[in-house]
Structures are given as structure tokens and as C-alpha cells.
Coordinates of all heavy atoms in Angstrom, one line a residue:
M653 N 141.0 38.5 129.5 CA 142.0 37.7 128.8 C 142.7 36.7 129.7 O 143.9 36.6 129.8 CB 143.1 38.7 128.2 CG 142.6 39.5 127.0 SD 142.1 38.5 125.6 CE 143.7 38.1 125.0
T654 N 141.9 36.0 130.5 CA 142.4 35.0 131.4 C 141.8 33.6 131.1 O 141.8 32.8 131.9 CB 142.1 35.4 132.9 OG1 140.7 35.5 133.0 CG2 142.8 36.6 133.3
T655 N 141.4 33.5 129.8 CA 140.9 32.2 129.4 C 142.1 31.3 129.2 O 143.2 31.7 129.0 CB 140.1 32.2 128.1 OG1 140.9 32.7 127.1 CG2 138.9 33.2 128.2
E656 N 141.8 29.9 129.3 CA 142.9 29.0 129.1 C 143.5 29.2 127.7 O 144.7 29.2 127.6 CB 142.3 27.5 129.1 CG 143.5 26.5 129.0 CD 143.0 25.1 129.1 OE1 141.8 24.9 129.3 OE2 143.8 24.2 128.9
E657 N 142.7 29.5 126.7 CA 143.2 29.7 125.4 C 144.2 30.9 125.3 O 145.2 30.8 124.7 CB 142.0 30.0 124.4 CG 142.4 29.8 122.9 CD 141.2 29.9 122.0 OE1 140.1 29.3 122.4 OE2 141.3 30.4 121.0
S658 N 143.8 32.0 126.0 CA 144.7 33.2 125.9 C 146.0 32.9 126.7 O 147.1 33.4 126.3 CB 144.0 34.4 126.5 OG 143.9 34.4 127.9
I659 N 145.9 32.1 127.7 CA 147.1 31.7 128.5 C 148.1 30.8 127.7 O 149.2 31.1 127.6 CB 146.7 31.1 129.8 CG1 146.1 32.2 130.8 CG2 147.9 30.4 130.5 CD1 145.3 31.6 131.9
L660 N 147.5 29.8 127.0 CA 148.3 29.0 126.2 C 148.9 29.7 125.0 O 150.0 29.5 124.6 CB 147.4 27.8 125.7 CG 146.9 26.8 126.7 CD1 146.0 25.7 126.1 CD2 148.1 26.1 127.3
N661 N 148.1 30.7 124.6 CA 148.6 31.6 123.5 C 149.9 32.3 123.9 O 150.8 32.5 123.2 CB 147.5 32.5 123.0 CG 147.7 33.1 121.7 OD1 148.3 32.4 120.8 ND2 147.4 34.4 121.5
K662 N 149.8 32.9 125.1 CA 151.0 33.6 125.7 C 152.2 32.7 125.8 O 153.3 33.1 125.6 CB 150.6 34.3 127.0 CG 149.7 35.5 126.8 CD 149.5 36.2 128.1 CE 148.8 37.5 127.9 NZ 148.5 38.2 129.2
I663 N 151.9 31.5 126.3 CA 153.0 30.5 126.4 C 153.6 30.2 125.1 O 154.8 30.2 124.9 CB 152.5 29.2 127.1 CG1 152.1 29.5 128.6 CG2 153.6 28.1 127.1 CD1 151.4 28.4 129.3
Q664 N 152.8 30.1 124.1 CA 153.3 29.8 122.7 C 154.2 30.9 122.2 O 155.2 30.8 121.6 CB 152.1 29.6 121.8 CG 152.6 29.1 120.4 CD 151.6 29.3 119.3 OE1 150.7 30.1 119.4 NE2 151.7 28.5 118.3
I665 N 153.7 32.2 122.5 CA 154.5 33.4 122.0 C 155.8 33.4 122.7 O 156.9 33.6 122.1 CB 153.7 34.7 122.3 CG1 152.4 34.8 121.4 CG2 154.5 35.9 122.2 CD1 151.4 35.8 121.8
L666 N 155.8 33.1 124.0 CA 157.1 33.1 124.8 C 158.0 32.1 124.2 O 159.2 32.3 123.9 CB 156.8 32.7 126.3 CG 158.0 32.3 127.1 CD1 158.8 33.5 127.5 CD2 157.6 31.5 128.3
I667 N 157.5 30.8 123.9 CA 158.4 29.8 123.4 C 158.9 30.1 122.0 O 160.1 30.0 121.7 CB 157.6 28.4 123.4 CG1 157.4 28.0 124.8 CG2 158.4 27.3 122.6 CD1 156.5 26.8 125.0
T668 N 158.0 30.7 121.2 CA 158.4 31.0 119.8 C 159.4 32.1 119.7 O 160.3 32.1 119.0 CB 157.1 31.4 119.0 OG1 156.1 30.4 119.1 CG2 157.4 31.6 117.5
N669 N 159.2 33.1 120.6 CA 160.0 34.3 120.5 C 161.4 34.1 121.2 O 162.4 34.8 120.8 CB 159.3 35.5 121.2 CG 158.2 36.0 120.3 OD1 158.0 35.6 119.2 ND2 157.4 36.9 120.8
H670 N 161.5 33.3 122.2 CA 162.7 33.2 123.0 C 163.4 31.9 122.9 O 164.6 31.8 123.4 CB 162.3 33.5 124.5 CG 161.8 34.8 124.7 ND1 162.6 35.9 124.8 CD2 160.5 35.3 124.8 CE1 161.8 37.0 125.0 NE2 160.6 36.7 125.0
F671 N 162.8 30.9 122.3 CA 163.5 29.6 122.2 C 163.4 29.0 120.8 O 162.4 29.2 120.1 CB 162.9 28.6 123.2 CG 163.0 29.1 124.7 CD1 161.9 29.8 125.2 CD2 164.1 28.9 125.4 CE1 162.0 30.3 126.5 CE2 164.2 29.4 126.7 CZ 163.2 30.0 127.3
E672 N 164.4 28.3 120.4 CA 164.4 27.7 119.1 C 163.4 26.5 119.0 O 162.8 26.3 118.0 CB 165.8 27.2 118.7 CG 166.7 28.3 118.2 CD 168.1 27.8 117.8 OE1 168.2 26.7 117.2 OE2 169.1 28.5 118.1
T673 N 163.4 25.8 120.1 CA 162.4 24.6 120.1 C 161.7 24.6 121.5 O 162.3 25.1 122.5 CB 163.2 23.3 120.0 OG1 164.1 23.1 121.1 CG2 164.0 23.3 118.7
P674 N 160.6 23.9 121.6 CA 159.9 23.7 122.9 C 160.8 23.0 123.8 O 160.7 23.2 125.1 CB 158.7 22.9 122.5 CG 158.4 23.2 121.1 CD 159.8 23.4 120.4
E675 N 161.6 22.1 123.3 CA 162.5 21.3 124.2 C 163.5 22.3 124.9 O 163.8 22.1 126.1 CB 163.3 20.3 123.4 CG 163.9 19.2 124.3 CD 164.3 18.0 123.4 OE1 164.4 18.1 122.2 OE2 164.6 17.0 124.1
M676 N 164.0 23.3 124.2 CA 164.9 24.2 124.9 C 164.2 25.0 125.9 O 164.8 25.3 127.0 CB 165.5 25.2 123.8 CG 166.6 24.5 122.9 SD 167.1 25.5 121.6 CE 168.0 26.8 122.4
A677 N 162.9 25.4 125.7 CA 162.1 26.1 126.7 C 162.0 25.2 127.9 O 162.2 25.7 129.1 CB 160.8 26.5 126.1
F678 N 161.6 23.9 127.7 CA 161.4 23.0 128.8 C 162.7 22.9 129.7 O 162.6 23.0 130.9 CB 161.0 21.6 128.2 CG 160.7 20.6 129.3 CD1 159.5 20.5 129.9 CD2 161.8 19.8 129.8 CE1 159.3 19.5 130.9 CE2 161.5 18.8 130.8 CZ 160.3 18.7 131.3
N679 N 163.8 22.8 129.0 CA 165.1 22.6 129.7 C 165.5 23.9 130.4 O 166.0 23.8 131.5 CB 166.2 22.2 128.8 CG 166.0 20.7 128.3 OD1 165.5 19.9 129.0 ND2 166.5 20.4 127.1
F680 N 165.2 25.0 129.8 CA 165.5 26.3 130.5 C 164.7 26.5 131.8 O 165.3 26.8 132.8 CB 165.1 27.4 129.5 CG 165.4 28.8 130.1 CD1 166.7 29.3 130.1 CD2 164.3 29.5 130.7 CE1 166.9 30.6 130.7 CE2 164.6 30.8 131.3 CZ 165.8 31.3 131.3
F681 N 163.4 26.1 131.8 CA 162.6 26.3 133.0 C 162.8 25.2 134.0 O 162.4 25.3 135.1 CB 161.1 26.5 132.6 CG 160.9 27.9 131.9 CD1 160.7 28.0 130.5 CD2 161.0 29.0 132.7 CE1 160.5 29.2 129.9 CE2 160.8 30.3 132.1 CZ 160.6 30.4 130.7
D682 N 163.3 24.0 133.5 CA 163.6 23.0 134.5 C 164.9 23.3 135.1 O 166.0 22.8 134.8 CB 163.7 21.6 133.7 CG 164.0 20.5 134.6 OD1 163.8 20.6 135.8 OD2 164.5 19.5 134.1
E683 N 164.9 24.1 136.2 CA 166.1 24.7 136.8 C 167.0 23.7 137.5 O 168.2 23.8 137.5 CB 165.7 25.8 137.8 CG 165.1 27.0 137.0 CD 164.8 28.1 138.0 OE1 164.5 27.9 139.1 OE2 164.9 29.3 137.5
D684 N 166.3 22.6 138.0 CA 167.2 21.6 138.7 C 167.5 20.4 137.8 O 168.0 19.4 138.3 CB 166.5 21.2 140.1 CG 165.1 20.6 139.8 OD1 164.7 20.6 138.7 OD2 164.5 20.2 140.9
N685 N 167.1 20.5 136.6 CA 167.4 19.5 135.6 C 167.0 18.1 136.0 O 167.7 17.1 135.7 CB 168.9 19.5 135.3 CG 169.3 20.7 134.5 OD1 168.7 21.1 133.6 ND2 170.4 21.3 135.0
D686 N 165.8 18.0 136.6 CA 165.3 16.6 136.9 C 164.3 16.1 135.9 O 163.7 15.1 136.0 CB 164.7 16.6 138.3 CG 163.4 17.4 138.4 OD1 163.1 18.2 137.4 OD2 162.7 17.4 139.4
Q687 N 164.3 16.9 134.7 CA 163.4 16.6 133.6 C 161.9 16.6 133.9 O 161.1 16.0 133.2 CB 163.7 15.1 133.1 CG 165.2 15.0 132.7 CD 165.6 16.0 131.6 OE1 165.0 16.1 130.5 NE2 166.7 16.7 131.8
K688 N 161.6 17.3 135.0 CA 160.2 17.6 135.4 C 160.0 19.0 135.8 O 160.9 19.6 136.4 CB 159.8 16.7 136.5 CG 159.9 15.2 136.2 CD 159.5 14.4 137.5 CE 159.8 12.9 137.3 NZ 161.2 12.5 137.7
L689 N 158.9 19.6 135.5 CA 158.6 21.0 135.9 C 157.7 20.9 137.1 O 156.7 20.3 137.1 CB 157.9 21.8 134.8 CG 158.7 22.0 133.5 CD1 157.9 22.9 132.6 CD2 160.0 22.7 133.8
T690 N 158.2 21.5 138.2 CA 157.4 21.7 139.4 C 156.4 22.8 139.2 O 156.6 23.6 138.3 CB 158.2 22.0 140.7 OG1 158.9 23.2 140.4 CG2 159.3 20.9 140.9
K691 N 155.5 23.0 140.1 CA 154.6 24.1 140.1 C 155.4 25.4 140.1 O 155.1 26.4 139.4 CB 153.6 24.1 141.2 CG 152.6 25.2 141.0 CD 151.5 25.3 142.1 CE 150.8 26.6 142.1 NZ 149.9 26.7 143.2
G692 N 156.4 25.5 141.0 CA 157.3 26.7 141.1 C 158.0 27.0 139.8 O 158.1 28.2 139.4
E693 N 158.5 26.0 139.1 CA 159.1 26.2 137.8 C 158.1 26.7 136.7 O 158.4 27.5 135.9 CB 159.8 24.9 137.4 CG 161.1 24.6 138.2 CD 161.7 23.2 138.0 OE1 161.0 22.3 137.6 OE2 162.8 23.1 138.4
I694 N 156.9 26.1 136.8 CA 155.9 26.5 135.9 C 155.5 28.0 136.1 O 155.2 28.7 135.2 CB 154.7 25.6 136.0 CG1 155.0 24.2 135.3 CG2 153.4 26.1 135.2 CD1 154.0 23.1 135.6
V695 N 155.4 28.3 137.4 CA 155.0 29.7 137.7 C 156.1 30.7 137.1 O 155.7 31.8 136.6 CB 154.8 29.9 139.2 CG1 154.8 31.4 139.6 CG2 153.6 29.2 139.7
K696 N 157.4 30.3 137.1 CA 158.4 31.2 136.5 C 158.2 31.3 135.0 O 158.4 32.3 134.4 CB 159.8 30.6 136.9 CG 160.2 31.0 138.3 CD 161.6 30.5 138.6 CE 161.8 30.7 140.1 NZ 162.9 29.9 140.6
L697 N 157.8 30.1 134.4 CA 157.5 30.2 133.0 C 156.3 31.1 132.7 O 156.4 31.9 131.8 CB 157.2 28.8 132.5 CG 156.9 28.5 131.0 CD1 157.1 27.0 130.7 CD2 155.4 28.9 130.6
L698 N 155.3 31.1 133.6 CA 154.2 32.0 133.4 C 154.5 33.4 133.6 O 154.0 34.3 132.9 CB 153.1 31.5 134.4 CG 152.5 30.1 134.2 CD1 151.5 29.8 135.3 CD2 151.7 30.0 132.8
K699 N 155.5 33.6 134.5 CA 155.9 35.0 134.7 C 156.6 35.5 133.4 O 156.4 36.6 133.0 CB 156.9 35.1 135.9 CG 157.3 36.5 136.2 CD 158.3 36.5 137.4 CE 158.7 37.9 137.8 NZ 159.7 37.9 138.8
Q700 N 157.5 34.7 132.9 CA 158.2 35.0 131.6 C 157.2 35.2 130.5 O 157.4 36.0 129.5 CB 159.1 34.0 131.2 CG 160.4 33.9 132.0 CD 161.3 35.1 131.9 OE1 161.5 35.6 130.8 NE2 161.6 35.7 133.0
A701 N 156.0 34.5 130.5 CA 155.0 34.6 129.5 C 154.1 35.8 129.8 O 153.1 36.0 129.1 CB 154.2 33.3 129.4
E702 N 154.4 36.6 130.8 CA 153.6 37.8 131.1 C 152.2 37.5 131.6 O 151.3 38.3 131.3 CB 153.7 38.8 130.0 CG 155.1 39.3 129.7 CD 155.2 40.3 128.5 OE1 154.2 40.6 127.9 OE2 156.3 40.7 128.2
I703 N 152.1 36.4 132.2 CA 150.8 36.1 132.9 C 150.7 36.9 134.2 O 151.7 36.9 135.0 CB 150.7 34.5 133.2 CG1 150.8 33.7 131.9 CG2 149.3 34.2 133.9 CD1 149.8 33.9 130.8
S704 N 149.6 37.5 134.4 CA 149.5 38.4 135.6 C 149.8 37.6 136.9 O 149.4 36.5 137.1 CB 148.0 38.9 135.7 OG 147.7 39.3 137.0
G705 N 150.5 38.3 137.8 CA 150.9 37.7 139.1 C 149.7 37.3 139.9 O 149.9 36.4 140.8
F706 N 148.6 37.9 139.7 CA 147.4 37.6 140.5 C 146.9 36.2 140.2 O 146.3 35.6 141.1 CB 146.3 38.6 140.2 CG 146.6 40.0 140.7 CD1 146.9 41.0 139.8 CD2 146.6 40.3 142.1 CE1 147.2 42.3 140.2 CE2 146.9 41.6 142.5 CZ 147.2 42.6 141.5
I707 N 147.1 35.7 139.0 CA 146.5 34.5 138.6 C 147.6 33.4 138.4 O 147.3 32.2 138.1 CB 145.6 34.6 137.3 CG1 146.4 35.1 136.1 CG2 144.4 35.4 137.7 CD1 145.7 34.9 134.8
R708 N 148.9 33.7 138.4 CA 149.9 32.8 138.1 C 149.9 31.5 138.9 O 150.0 30.4 138.3 CB 151.3 33.5 138.4 CG 152.2 33.7 137.2 CD 153.4 34.4 137.6 NE 153.4 35.8 137.1 CZ 154.0 36.8 137.7 NH1 154.7 36.6 138.8 NH2 153.9 38.0 137.2
G709 N 149.7 31.6 140.2 CA 149.6 30.4 141.0 C 148.5 29.5 140.6 O 148.6 28.3 140.5
L710 N 147.3 30.2 140.4 CA 146.1 29.4 140.0 C 146.3 28.7 138.7 O 146.0 27.6 138.5 CB 144.9 30.4 139.9 CG 143.6 29.8 139.5 CD1 143.0 28.8 140.6 CD2 142.6 30.9 139.3
V711 N 146.9 29.5 137.7 CA 147.1 29.0 136.4 C 148.1 27.8 136.4 O 147.8 26.8 135.8 CB 147.6 30.1 135.4 CG1 148.1 29.5 134.1 CG2 146.5 31.1 135.2
G712 N 149.1 27.9 137.3 CA 150.1 26.8 137.4 C 149.4 25.6 137.9 O 149.6 24.5 137.4
S713 N 148.5 25.7 138.9 CA 147.8 24.6 139.4 C 146.9 24.0 138.3 O 146.8 22.8 138.2 CB 146.9 25.0 140.6 OG 147.7 25.5 141.6
K714 N 146.2 24.8 137.6 CA 145.3 24.3 136.5 C 146.0 23.6 135.4 O 145.5 22.6 134.9 CB 144.5 25.5 135.9 CG 143.5 26.1 136.8 CD 142.2 25.3 136.8 CE 141.2 25.9 137.8 NZ 140.1 24.9 138.0
L715 N 147.2 24.1 135.1 CA 148.0 23.5 134.0 C 148.4 22.1 134.5 O 148.4 21.1 133.7 CB 149.2 24.3 133.6 CG 148.9 25.6 132.8 CD1 150.2 26.4 132.6 CD2 148.3 25.3 131.5
I716 N 148.9 22.0 135.8 CA 149.3 20.7 136.3 C 148.1 19.8 136.3 O 148.2 18.6 135.9 CB 149.9 20.8 137.7 CG1 151.3 21.5 137.5 CG2 150.1 19.5 138.3 CD1 152.0 21.9 138.8
E717 N 146.9 20.3 136.8 CA 145.7 19.5 136.8 C 145.3 19.0 135.4 O 145.0 17.8 135.3 CB 144.6 20.4 137.3 CG 143.5 19.8 138.1 CD 142.5 20.9 138.6 OE1 142.8 21.5 139.7 OE2 141.5 21.1 138.0
G718 N 145.5 19.8 134.4 CA 145.1 19.5 133.1 C 146.0 18.6 132.3 O 145.6 17.8 131.5
Y719 N 147.3 18.7 132.6 CA 148.3 18.0 131.8 C 149.1 16.9 132.5 O 149.9 16.2 131.9 CB 149.3 19.0 131.1 CG 148.5 19.8 130.1 CD1 148.1 21.2 130.4 CD2 148.1 19.3 128.9 CE1 147.4 21.9 129.5 CE2 147.4 20.1 128.0 CZ 147.0 21.4 128.3 OH 146.3 22.2 127.4
D720 N 149.0 16.9 133.8 CA 149.7 15.8 134.6 C 149.1 14.5 134.4 O 148.1 14.2 135.2 CB 149.8 16.3 136.1 CG 150.5 15.2 136.9 OD1 151.3 14.4 136.4 OD2 150.2 15.2 138.1
K721 N 149.5 13.7 133.5 CA 148.8 12.4 133.2 C 149.1 11.3 134.2 O 148.3 10.4 134.4 CB 149.1 12.0 131.8 CG 148.7 13.0 130.7 CD 147.2 13.3 130.7 CE 146.9 14.3 129.6 NZ 145.6 14.9 129.9
N722 N 150.3 11.3 134.8 CA 150.7 10.2 135.7 C 150.6 10.6 137.1 O 151.0 9.9 138.0 CB 152.1 9.7 135.4 CG 153.2 10.8 135.6 OD1 152.9 11.9 135.9 ND2 154.4 10.4 135.4
N723 N 149.9 11.8 137.4 CA 149.5 12.2 138.7 C 150.7 12.3 139.7 O 150.5 12.0 140.9 CB 148.4 11.3 139.3 CG 147.1 11.4 138.5 OD1 146.7 12.5 138.2 ND2 146.5 10.3 138.2
D724 N 151.8 12.8 139.3 CA 152.9 13.0 140.2 C 153.0 14.5 140.6 O 154.0 15.0 141.2 CB 154.2 12.5 139.7 CG 154.7 13.1 138.4 OD1 153.9 14.0 137.9 OD2 155.8 12.8 137.9
E725 N 152.1 15.3 140.1 CA 152.0 16.7 140.3 C 153.2 17.5 139.7 O 153.5 18.6 140.2 CB 151.8 17.1 141.8 CG 150.5 16.4 142.3 CD 150.1 17.0 143.7 OE1 150.9 17.6 144.4 OE2 148.9 16.7 144.0
L726 N 153.8 16.9 138.7 CA 154.9 17.5 138.0 C 154.6 17.3 136.5 O 153.9 16.4 136.1 CB 156.2 16.7 138.3 CG 156.7 16.8 139.8 CD1 157.7 15.7 140.0 CD2 157.1 18.1 140.2
I727 N 155.2 18.2 135.7 CA 155.0 18.1 134.3 C 156.3 17.6 133.6 O 157.3 18.4 133.7 CB 154.6 19.5 133.7 CG1 153.2 19.9 134.2 CG2 154.5 19.4 132.1 CD1 152.0 19.1 133.9
N728 N 156.3 16.4 133.1 CA 157.5 15.9 132.5 C 157.5 16.3 131.0 O 156.5 16.9 130.5 CB 157.6 14.4 132.7 CG 156.5 13.6 132.0 OD1 155.9 14.0 131.1 ND2 156.2 12.4 132.6
W729 N 158.5 15.9 130.3 CA 158.6 16.3 128.9 C 157.5 15.8 128.0 O 156.9 16.6 127.2 CB 160.0 15.9 128.3 CG 160.1 16.1 126.8 CD1 160.4 15.1 125.9 CD2 160.0 17.3 126.1 NE1 160.4 15.6 124.7 CE2 160.2 16.9 124.7 CE3 159.7 18.6 126.4 CZ2 160.1 17.9 123.7 CZ3 159.6 19.5 125.4 CH2 159.8 19.2 124.0
E730 N 157.1 14.6 128.2 CA 155.9 14.0 127.5 C 154.7 14.8 127.7 O 153.9 15.1 126.8 CB 155.7 12.6 127.9 CG 156.8 11.6 127.4 CD 156.9 11.5 125.9 OE1 155.9 11.6 125.2 OE2 158.0 11.5 125.4
E731 N 154.4 15.2 129.0 CA 153.2 16.0 129.3 C 153.3 17.4 128.8 O 152.3 18.0 128.3 CB 153.1 16.0 130.8 CG 152.7 14.6 131.3 CD 152.9 14.4 132.8 OE1 153.5 15.2 133.5 OE2 152.5 13.4 133.4
F732 N 154.5 18.0 128.8 CA 154.8 19.3 128.3 C 154.5 19.3 126.8 O 153.8 20.2 126.2 CB 156.2 19.7 128.6 CG 156.5 21.2 128.2 CD1 156.1 22.2 129.1 CD2 157.2 21.5 127.1 CE1 156.5 23.5 128.8 CE2 157.5 22.8 126.8 CZ 157.1 23.8 127.7
K733 N 155.0 18.3 126.1 CA 154.8 18.1 124.6 C 153.3 18.1 124.3 O 152.8 18.6 123.3 CB 155.4 16.9 124.1 CG 156.8 17.1 123.5 CD 157.2 15.9 122.6 CE 157.2 14.6 123.3 NZ 157.9 13.5 122.6
A734 N 152.5 17.3 125.1 CA 151.1 17.2 124.9 C 150.4 18.6 125.0 O 149.5 19.0 124.3 CB 150.4 16.3 125.9
A735 N 150.9 19.4 126.0 CA 150.3 20.8 126.1 C 150.7 21.6 124.9 O 149.8 22.3 124.4 CB 150.9 21.4 127.4
I736 N 151.9 21.5 124.4 CA 152.3 22.2 123.2 C 151.5 21.8 122.0 O 151.1 22.6 121.2 CB 153.8 22.0 123.0 CG1 154.7 22.5 124.1 CG2 154.3 22.6 121.7 CD1 154.7 23.9 124.4
A737 N 151.3 20.5 121.9 CA 150.5 20.0 120.8 C 149.1 20.6 120.8 O 148.6 20.9 119.8 CB 150.4 18.5 120.8
K738 N 148.6 20.7 122.0 CA 147.2 21.3 122.1 C 147.2 22.8 121.7 O 146.3 23.3 121.0 CB 146.7 21.2 123.5 CG 145.3 21.6 123.6 CD 144.7 21.6 125.0 CE 143.3 22.2 125.0 NZ 142.7 22.3 126.3
I739 N 148.3 23.5 122.0 CA 148.4 24.9 121.6 C 148.5 25.0 120.1 O 147.8 25.8 119.5 CB 149.7 25.5 122.2 CG1 149.6 25.6 123.7 CG2 150.0 26.9 121.6 CD1 150.9 26.1 124.4
K740 N 149.3 24.1 119.5 CA 149.4 24.1 118.0 C 148.1 23.8 117.3 O 147.7 24.4 116.3 CB 150.5 23.2 117.5 CG 151.9 23.7 117.9 CD 153.0 23.0 117.2 CE 154.3 23.7 117.4 NZ 155.4 22.8 117.3
K741 N 147.3 22.9 117.9 CA 146.0 22.5 117.3 C 145.1 23.6 117.4 O 144.4 23.9 116.4 CB 145.5 21.3 118.1 CG 144.5 20.4 117.3 CD 144.0 19.3 118.1 CE 145.0 18.1 118.1 NZ 144.5 16.9 118.9
S742 N 145.0 24.3 118.5 CA 144.0 25.4 118.6 C 144.5 26.6 117.8 O 143.7 27.5 117.6 CB 143.9 25.8 120.1 OG 145.1 26.3 120.6
D743 N 145.7 26.6 117.4 CA 146.3 27.7 116.6 C 145.9 27.6 115.2 O 145.7 28.6 114.5 CB 147.8 27.7 116.7 CG 148.5 28.9 116.1 OD1 147.9 30.0 116.4 OD2 149.5 28.8 115.4
S744 N 145.7 26.4 114.7 CA 145.5 26.2 113.2 C 144.0 26.3 112.9 O 143.1 26.4 113.7 CB 146.0 24.8 112.8 OG 145.3 23.8 113.5
Ligands
CA896 CA1 162.6 20.5 137.7
CA897 CA1 153.3 14.2 135.6

């Protein structure tokens, strides 16, 4: 259960169960409020999503690799939304 799909699914469950909107989840995990998620902030999100500690660092890197469109190694709100949109698409 370490496929990208199962990981995105866990993130979706976390957001759905604990936050009213994806934006609230983004702001919660953006601890320094710079409107960007660092790898460290993403790893905390993955921890909350119950992603195994063994793969959290790797998954964080992969998510940044996959969704960081402007190559600043951070996930901004637009990039986060794109990830969420992909989750919703694969859900339907
Ligand atoms: Ca931040
Ligand atoms: Ca970025």
C-alpha cells in the first residue's frame, strides 16, 4: 500500500476528515505562513495522514518532484490545488 494512489488517497482522507476545505489544510501545515509548503512541512502532513515513517521522506520528495511546477522545491497553494484536483479525478 505504498503506491502513489494509496498515498494520495490517505492525504484526501486526512483533508476530508480534519479540515473543512483543502485551503484550511494547506494553511494548517504551512507553519511559518509563507504560503509555501517545504519538504519538512509536507512530511508533517504525511505523518498526520498516517504515511509510514519509513517512506515519509521519500514520499515528500516525490510529491515535490511531481507537483512543484516552478521548480523552487516548495509547494505553493496553486501546486497544492493541482495535487488535490488529481486526487479528486482519480477518486471519481
Ligand atoms: Ca511554509
Ligand atoms: Ca513550487
Side-chain angles (χ1 to χ4, degrees):
M653 289 298 282
T654 56
T655 62
E656 184 181 354
E657 198 173 320
S658 74
I659 288 162
L660 291 176
N661 198 37
K662 284 185 176 179
I663 294 171
Q664 186 196 28
I665 290 167
L666 168 76
I667 292 171
T668 308
N669 288 353
H670 297 278
F671 300 95
E672 280 180 40
T673 63
E675 196 165 14
M676 285 173 70
F678 182 87
N679 288 331
F680 178 82
F681 289 105
D682 178 22
E683 291 185 329
D684 58 1
N685 292 312
D686 66 352
Q687 304 300 310
K688 300 176 187 90
L689 297 183
T690 61
K691 186 181 166 187
E693 288 167 341
I694 290 168
V695 166
K696 283 182 190 162
L697 183 156
L698 295 173
K699 186 179 179 186
Q700 288 294 312
E702 296 177 3
I703 304 297
S704 158
F706 294 108
I707 60 164
R708 245 176 251 151
L710 180 68
V711 170
S713 298
K714 288 277 176 198
L715 288 175
I716 291 173
E717 210 174 278
Y719 295 103
D720 175 25
K721 300 300 179 198
N722 62 357
N723 294 314
D724 60 359
E725 299 194 347
L726 302 163
I727 297 297
N728 64 27
W729 169 238
E730 290 298 319
E731 292 162 348
F732 189 80
K733 261 197 308 194
I736 299 294
K738 188 182 172 183
I739 292 172
K740 287 193 173 154
K741 206 179 277 179
S742 63
D743 190 42
S744 61

